[in-house]
Amino acid sequence: MVICLRHALPALFIAALISSSLIAQGRPTPNPQLAAKGLNTRVESLLKKMTLEEKIGQMVQFSAGFATGPGAAEKNTHFDDLVAKGEVGSFLNVVGAEATNHYQHIAMEKTRLHIPLIFGLDVIHGDHTVFPVPLAVAASFDPPAAEIVAHTGGVEARADGVPWVFSPMVDIARDPRWGRIIESNGEDPYLGSVMARAWVRGYQQGDLSKPNSVAVSVKHFAAYGAAIAGRDYNATDMSEITLRQVYLEPYRAAVEEGAATMMSSFNSINGVPATANPFTLTQILRKEWGFDGFVVSDWGAVKELINHSIGDGPTVARKALMAGLDMDMEGNLYGTVIAQQVRSGKIPESVIDEAVRRILRVKFALGLFEHPYVEPGPAYEPTAEKRALARKVADETLVLLKNDPVEGVGALLPMTGKAKKVALMGPMADNQRDIIGSWSQGDPKNAVTLRKALSERLGDGLLYAEGCGLLSGQDAVTLNKVNFGGSVASAVGGNEVPDDDQTIAAAVETAKQADVAILALGESANWMEGEASSRVHLGFTGSQEKLLEAVVATGKPVILVVMAGRPLELKWAAEHVPAILEAWSPGMEGGHAIADVLFGDVNPSGKLPSSLPRAVGQEPLYYAQMPTGRPATGVDLSHIPTDSPSKFVSRYVDEENSALFPFGWGLSYTRFSYSKPTVSRESVPLKEVLASGHSPVVKVGVDVKNTGSVAGTEVVQMYIRNTDASVEQPVRELKGFARVQLAPGESKHVEFPLGFDELNFYNVEVKRTVEPTTYKIWVGGSSLATEETSLQIVE
Ligand code: BGC
């Protein structure tokens, strides 16, 4: 069997993008989803009828529901009046038939031109049906899984009157101190681009006019994930080559896939705030990529430009608008200071027209003029079908980090038949709120915890003790308030400051009665993950590490399940715990999915989308590092004396350079072997590569075999290294992957195409190109792949 894979453009776009060398340089291409027949004529004829105030009204968005940022309470609440006067074009955080229809009736019936509102919402990992968080979905290396999550969330949002989702977040995140890594696809631009396309496809379904399609807002443009020191909202500063080659790639992919809208980011890029950045918003996005949707600011970001010290209110609003920012989310500036500047000639009305055109185009494309309202439907039910979807996706996202044999028992996982009594402990074991992860629209009450899932399987064989809360001392009381409004929702962590020593002692007694102990540890979804949740310590919070150490000290075999939205520092655990499963924030079927893997009903297949550090001081840590003149590779430098001949190499004196668990890593209950990869041609003329556009010029082939005794799925990964470029290139870059299912003893041949898309880089003139060189190529089951071949590009 031959599998040939390329996670690139669907046929529709390939057909549209024939002139390949132009594509290579980013020649704009129209978005077919926003170019339906007659659409522009309708936009133009409406635009002609609009007054300046009505136009500006389309560019204003308010949150008329719950707040997802600061300052919402300060603003006015007479939204009915604003809508009736045509002074608002969009709301966010207004959800459900009743609320959305209320405002929509006013817009359609009371305004002069009957222009519908567009409602937007953060549908981040499903809507009512809560799937694993995006970082976990990336760990599946399965684009169709992302499509399922997006599609399901989009359909549910649309049924709630919301045709526009603030998703996907495609920011490259290489620093887990940044809490929003949870919403990302991790550290890699290739994986990030493939997943970005899949999310867009899932939401928009290639056709915005379908009744179940929703428009995406790809966020946060741009380079928000590179916040200096991982501190949220902080500045970013990088070369234009890195900006384009690493950080912008997933946005570019999303635009090529037909993304209807983008959201600008809070950060500045090389000194210019992204919300008022003509280089990113106009030069790159519109002129080079041909984006013809609209750009909304992030929450309050236009007004926050004042804090960036680039002017007063009227100035910053003008700067944002002139830079290409079409809609002001919650800034309350476009609506108040733009009109006067148009009248005084400071802002050409043509700029307003262009922004309004872009907004109306999306409203028309979504069919909002024809179908502005939503039929009230039945209340959401977490049906068996929805649960099955959430469980299937979660099953694929779990990463088995370690499964070392234990004396007298062998490998602890899968557990089937190995233990009669199981002790389950830890603050994530029975925690509905935190298992679903940050930014969940769904109800935590629908979540299946690990305790519930294990008790379904083990009945009386399951012993349970929480052991400790996610936080200790007064912090635990605060967390309880944040999560549960102060109600005592768990055995540990009510309104009393908990006594962790006592509860840990009780957990140790529980562990002693069992054959095996499972510890479910992690992070608080509300408190430590997502926006405004940067951390400088990446260890377990509160007394969790103490609990882990105490249980390990009992001598019972321990399985650690980590439920967290970011790579945590697991060094002690990796040295002392034989089996570790990275479960992220696995969503409402998380407990079942973890149990599926623990018991071997599902053979784990997830791979790390983000390197796990040995110590936080290594961050930002990623596999695609640039080479140095003094490489430390291949030498264990952790214990060398400082006067050693190896002193003057690029390393830390107190820790190894390598990741604790690297990008692409993930074990299975079976083993896979790889043949030496081959290339279909050993050398290719440069001219041919430059002219190839999206077509491959070479295929890299490899045989993968399941050499174990159970069926399994391997994520086969191809990495390349450009060894002789005019600008130095990373030591390895992922350029292809495929999920391959193999029965015991079965072998499959996998082929990866290589062409301009995979081989290009940005030269000193910041142009995407390929040069004569040799590419080293590795294929294997992680970024440590050793099976190697090469390809030459010749003059
Ligand atoms: C976040 C965005 C989000 C917006 C609207 C902001 O604070 O950065 O990701 O879409 O709020 O809720």
Side-chain angles (χ1 to χ4, degrees), residues 68 92 122 166 180 219-220 263 266 298-299 439 531:
T68 41
L92 75 152
D122 293 284
F166 302 140
R180 302 199 79 167
K219 64 191 191 185
H220 306 78
M263 185 184 293
F266 291 120
D298 204 339
W299 177 289
W439 222 322
E531 188 176 349

Side-chain angles (χ1 to χ4, degrees), residues 158-180:
R158 192 93 203 221
D160 273 338
V162 175
W164 182 28
V165 294
F166 302 140
S167 173
M169 185 181 109
V170 305
D171 299 313
I172 294 294
R174 293 183 155 183
D175 190 336
R177 289 175 296 181
W178 191 53
R180 302 199 79 167

